[in-house]
Amino acid sequence: MATENGKSLLEIRDLNLHFQTTQGVVQAVDKVDFDLGYNDAIVILGESGCGKTSLARAILRLLPRNVDRYDGKVRLGDMELMGMGDEEFRKKVRWVRMSMVPQAAMNALNPVLKVGDQVAEPLMIHAGISKENALSHASDMFRRVGVPVDFLNRYAFELSGGMRQRVAIAMALVTTPEVVLLDEPTSALDVLTQTNIFNLLKRVKQEFDVSFILITHDIATSSELAERVAVMYAGQIVEVSDAGNFFEAPLHPYSQKLMASVPRLRGTQDLEFIPGKPPSLIGLKAGCRFAPRCSFRFDKCDQDPPITYKGDRLVRCWLHAEG
Amino acid sequence: MENIQKTDQNQVNTMDNASKNNGTPLLSLKNLHVWFELKRWGFAHAGYVRAVDDVSFDLHRGDAIAIVGESGSGKTSLMKTILGINRPIKGDIFFDGQSLSELNPRQLREFRSKIGFVQQDPYGALPPFMSVRRILSEPLIINGIKDPDEREERIRKVMSEVKLNPVDDFIEKFPHMLSGGQQQRVVIARAMILGPKLIVADEPVSMLDASVRVEILKLLENLQHSHDLAVIYITHDLSTVRYFSERIFVMYAGQLIEKSSVDGILSNHLHPYTDALLKGTSEPDANNAKIFKEVPPGEPPSLVNPPKGCRFHPRCAKMIDGLCNVEDPPEFEPAEPGHLTFCWLYKQNGHES
Ligand SMILES: Nc1ncnc2c1ncn2[C@@H]1O[C@H](COP(=O)(O)OP(=O)(O)OP(=O)(O)O)[C@@H](O)[C@H]1O
Ligand SMILES: Nc1ncnc2c1ncn2[C@@H]1O[C@H](COP(=O)(O)OP(=O)(O)OP(=O)(O)O)[C@@H](O)[C@H]1O
Ligand SMILES: [Mg+2]
Ligand SMILES: [Mg+2]
């Protein structure tokens, strides 16, 4: 992970985002720690409902009304974000330094606005650039993400899914942010379109000084962008490893099971699945959240596992705890 | 070129199924065409969407095949035609040797009860306000099983077959109380409850998490073996097929462009489109992030005005000008028997089948 003066680009420590519901408090993001380097790409991997989108919302402060708890440390470059007022956050951070391609963005484009205008809009709003100027930036961005420039004047419904996803990516890139969050950017797309989008993201990462946070449940395609992998389970990050080590030898028992469930085109190994299901995020008890499904469970697992650092790798599991 | 007489595709391939089976196939598709009429202003004819365009294959009892193709290639349309929901504009379907076009409404209903259907999008598949018991009762009631005790018995039996155990923990539950994997088990139980000979599973796992996906694929595989079921598994994900089926049909723009055993596709694929699909399929490997992948340019064609000749030619790096963009490729068999492809690249070494 590339750092500057020993510091990462984005540092997240003990980040919490809990929601209030009639059934109780949902601990969607719970004591999350990770770092993002300069020109880095980290994948947040986890099953449906484990809190991935909530984590993205916590980082970008896109909060619903029913927040029960929102705290922790988020540092971007030399800015501490948590202490910042909402107005300042909107002016200096969201879209300007950090942007996002939301989950299902390609189906959420404005149906009555030309896609060119939609890509130009963040520039006009957040950078105060004139419409004419913003449109010329937008057309430059279209070219870079591989959308024909004459599509600027089209509406979303006139575009294929792959093209709409490129438009959504162009929207997130047009303000030249340092961090872009991508929430399941390709899960609704075909293999060849997925490949195209990943080629595009790789090229963007080479050309711009940008870092990606890629949120996905698709382990195999996540390797198309990942430099590092963070595994999320029931609201917590349970492992962070560099991609090489992660795909070869993951540390956490949950990560190991996940890897064993990935279908491979070739080879002979049998597929495994994890019996049972993840716990409800309401009324969580002390102890390791994966323990009920873990084949290595032992008595210590009834207490919260500590975070252990192994070189650059992080793991939240008693098997790896020191002392 | 001269020594090729293009067979009219009326002639149906008998080599199609290279498996040990002989005798009457359970399901046989002969030159099936399913076109949807496009209407302007609601009445004026404006052409056809050729969702399925000349598809033929045989499926034998107990065999599992996979149909792989991108979104919009016609997979669901093909399935719905097999289920008797869509009507073919040309061609025919035979089930146990019986032509579907000759069935009367009562026979058609009976035929449908022999095919279990696992539809695309499991989350929309289950009615939210019905308990598992109600959901599984419906097909029994529709098929005239009036005795409640018999229904209960069959519901419990099928639930334990799909491993919704202990049955009492699940039978009263509503879909939203179940995990994604459990919901999909209910969908499969519903498809199994009338004791079908064939299960058609349309993307049964694509919406599910990796681990749940494996759970469901294994369940389908067990059911296939224990009940000697024929299965048609539809997917856009090549990486899952070898765990499940013996043969793969690759679909592109309404046509099956390559048919082969799973091994044949993995070790010796023939069609350039199959090649692109294989190259596009990722395996978890840290080196992926360091390389750019080759992808054919462009997008799948319109099915209203498909390209002349081979439908893949506008995207194909190996396109032979004057041939691929002019004339429909016939089906060649250039490699092992039963491994077929519609591609002009094989006109030299392949005999037309
Ligand atoms: N505003 C909210 N109020 C209450 N609960 C919420 C809210 N938003 C999300 N949740 C709950 O928080 C948990 C985590 O949801 P989240 O959307 O972050 O999961 P995810 O990992 O992104 O899942 P997926 O892969 O399905 O997108 C879920 O149990 C969800 O129901
Ligand atoms: N009832 C219909 N009327 C008109 N066109 C239709 C109809 N059903 C399907 N089509 C069209 O036929 C083509 C094939 O659709 P189909 O749903 O069979 O594709 P698919 O391979 O199942 O795609 P996916 O992977 O997205 O499910 C598409 O262009 C679709 O829009
Ligand atoms: Mg999400
Ligand atoms: Mg479909």
Side-chain angles (χ1 to χ4, degrees), chain A residues 135-192:
Chain A
L135 272 173
S136 106
H137 278 287
S139 92
D140 182 48
M141 201 42 80
F142 268 44
R143 201 172 42 71
R144 285 174 186 272
V145 302
V147 179
V149 171
D150 54 309
F151 281 24
L152 280 166
N153 288 318
R154 295 209 186 171
Y155 293 92
F157 71 87
E158 298 175 297
L159 270 53
S160 69
M163 282 297 158
R164 275 180 286 146
Q165 190 63 326
R166 285 167 192 258
V167 169
I169 291 171
M171 254 165 103
L173 290 175
V174 74
T175 52
T176 58
E178 293 146 83
V179 177
V180 177
L181 287 107
L182 306 153
D183 193 353
E184 305 273 9
T186 63
S187 31
L189 299 171
D190 283 315
V191 189
L192 300 185

Side-chain angles (χ1 to χ4, degrees), chain A residues 46-49 52 160 162-163 187 189-196 198-200 202-203 206 217-221 223-227 243-245 247-248 257-277 293, chain B residues 69-72 75 177-179 182 185 206-215 217-218 236-240 242-243 265-267 269 273 276-296 298-300 312 315:
Chain A
E47 290 172 86
S48 182
K52 303 182 296 298
S160 69
M163 282 297 158
S187 31
L189 299 171
D190 283 315
V191 189
L192 300 185
T193 316
Q194 274 182 6
T195 311
N196 266 316
F198 277 111
N199 279 342
L200 162 66
K202 288 175 197 175
R203 196 155 40 71
Q206 280 181 359
H217 68 271
D218 187 337
I219 301 159
T221 60
S223 71
E224 294 292 340
L225 196 63
E227 290 195 13
N245 273 314
F247 294 123
E248 290 303 318
K257 287 278 193 229
L258 273 186
M259 285 300 293
S261 72
V262 181
R264 319 267 171 147
L265 264 181
R266 299 184 174 82
T268 51
Q269 108 288 11
D270 197 25
L271 285 180
E272 285 178 44
F273 64 92
I274 316 173
K277 58 175 180 173
R293 304 169 79 187
Chain B
E70 286 178 277
S71 183
K75 305 182 296 298
M177 303 170 176
L178 304 174
S179 72
Q182 289 161 349
R185 283 168 193 273
S206 57
M207 304 279 285
L208 303 170
D209 283 315
S211 166
V212 186
R213 199 181 285 186
V214 176
E215 186 184 335
L217 285 177
K218 289 202 160 179
H236 63 264
D237 182 5
L238 257 179
S239 66
T240 57
R242 79 180 171 94
Y243 295 96
I265 291 278
L266 294 180
S267 60
H269 59 274
Y273 176 67
L277 277 187
L278 282 163
K279 287 194 174 131
T281 306
S282 305
E283 311 252 330
D285 181 340
N287 289 320
N288 289 344
K290 302 187 179 85
I291 50 169
F292 289 90
K293 280 188 169 170
E294 233 179 90
V295 198
E299 302 196 349
F312 189 60
R315 306 174 72 190

Side-chain angles (χ1 to χ4, degrees), chain A residues 26 54 82 88 90 105 112 114-115 121 123 127 131 145 153 168 186 189 191 210 228-229 249-250 257 264 283 288 300:
Chain A
V26 180
S54 305
M82 278 315 233
E88 195 184 359
R90 210 170 333 160
V112 296
K114 289 176 181 163
V115 291
E121 208 175 55
L123 277 176
K131 177 159 185 183
V145 302
N153 288 318
T186 63
L189 299 171
V191 189
V210 65
R228 293 180 312 121
V229 178
K257 287 278 193 229
R264 319 267 171 147
C288 170
K300 273 200 172 164

Side-chain angles (χ1 to χ4, degrees), chain B residues 1-287:
Chain B
M1 177 87 220
E2 300 82 73
N3 55 357
I4 295 167
Q5 320 111 19
K6 205 168 156 294
T7 40
D8 193 278
Q9 294 184 357
N10 280 327
Q11 184 195 327
V12 172
N13 214 310
T14 45
M15 284 303 290
D16 194 10
N17 198 308
S19 68
K20 65 279 167 200
N21 297 290
N22 31 39
T24 316
L26 178 65
L27 180 75
S28 183
L29 271 54
K30 298 203 193 292
N31 305 104
L32 199 68
H33 294 70
V34 183
W35 295 5
F36 299 107
E37 190 171 10
L38 280 180
K39 293 205 170 114
R40 204 172 296 132
W41 309 119
F43 57 88
H45 176 81
Y48 290 101
V49 180
R50 304 180 181 193
V52 177
D53 216 23
D54 200 0
V55 162
S56 304
F57 66 82
D58 287 347
L59 174 67
H60 287 269
R61 236 164 276 275
D63 277 359
I65 59 167
I67 297 181
V68 182
E70 286 178 277
S71 183
S73 58
K75 305 182 296 298
T76 299
S77 304
L78 178 60
M79 281 315 96
K80 289 193 170 165
T81 316
I82 293 172
L83 291 161
I85 299 169
N86 292 336
R87 294 210 140 259
I89 194 161
K90 213 159 68 180
D92 204 353
I93 297 177
F94 296 84
F95 192 82
D96 257 340
Q98 255 275 324
S99 160
L100 287 200
S101 60
E102 289 162 6
L103 299 183
N104 65 35
R106 191 188 53 80
Q107 289 169 316
L108 197 62
R109 200 171 61 228
E110 194 189 331
F111 152 77
R112 279 188 192 151
S113 74
K114 289 183 191 157
I115 304 188
F117 185 32
V118 177
Q119 79 192 68
Q120 203 166 350
D121 183 16
Y123 298 108
L126 297 174
F129 300 113
M130 285 192 195
S131 66
V132 172
R133 179 186 278 118
R134 265 293 296 287
I135 291 169
L136 296 178
S137 304
E138 297 272 285
L140 295 173
I141 294 169
I142 291 169
N143 278 275
I145 293 163
K146 297 203 178 68
D147 176 11
D149 293 337
E150 186 190 343
R151 287 205 300 263
E152 183 73 9
E153 190 186 321
R154 287 179 69 167
I155 289 168
R156 287 176 174 271
K157 181 157 171 283
V158 79
M159 282 180 71
S160 62
E161 277 169 2
V162 302
K163 307 270 169 356
L164 284 169
N165 281 324
V167 169
D168 285 319
D169 284 5
F170 295 101
I171 196 161
E172 311 282 356
K173 289 218 160 107
F174 290 84
H176 71 269
M177 303 170 176
L178 304 174
S179 72
Q182 289 161 349
Q183 289 188 21
Q184 196 63 336
R185 283 168 193 273
V186 176
V187 173
I188 292 171
R190 183 174 60 183
M192 289 289 297
I193 197 157
L194 295 170
K197 293 180 179 168
L198 167 65
I199 291 267
V200 175
D202 192 358
E203 308 258 17
V205 296
S206 57
M207 304 279 285
L208 303 170
D209 283 315
S211 166
V212 186
R213 199 181 285 186
V214 176
E215 186 184 335
I216 296 302
L217 285 177
K218 289 202 160 179
L219 171 66
L220 280 171
E221 192 190 7
N222 289 340
L223 291 172
Q224 188 216 341
H225 293 305
S226 59
H227 291 66
D228 198 29
L229 276 177
V231 181
I232 302 179
Y233 169 51
I234 297 184
T235 181
H236 63 264
D237 182 5
L238 257 179
S239 66
T240 57
V241 295
R242 79 180 171 94
Y243 295 96
F244 188 60
S245 52
E246 293 111 42
R247 287 174 64 71
I248 304 185
F249 299 161
V250 181
M251 192 156 189
Y252 185 76
Q255 301 182 323
L256 301 183
I257 51 98
E258 183 161 356
K259 303 175 195 164
S260 163
S261 67
V262 172
D263 283 346
I265 291 278
L266 294 180
S267 60
N268 182 31
H269 59 274
L270 300 173
H271 199 285
Y273 176 67
T274 312
D275 184 60
L277 277 187
L278 282 163
K279 287 194 174 131
T281 306
S282 305
E283 311 252 330
D285 181 340
N287 289 320

Side-chain angles (χ1 to χ4, degrees), chain A residues 19 21 26 28 47-54 64 66 103 184 281:
Chain A
F19 304 117
T21 70
V26 180
E47 290 172 86
S48 182
C50 73
K52 303 182 296 298
T53 298
S54 305
N66 60 333
Q103 195 162 6
E184 305 273 9
L281 299 179

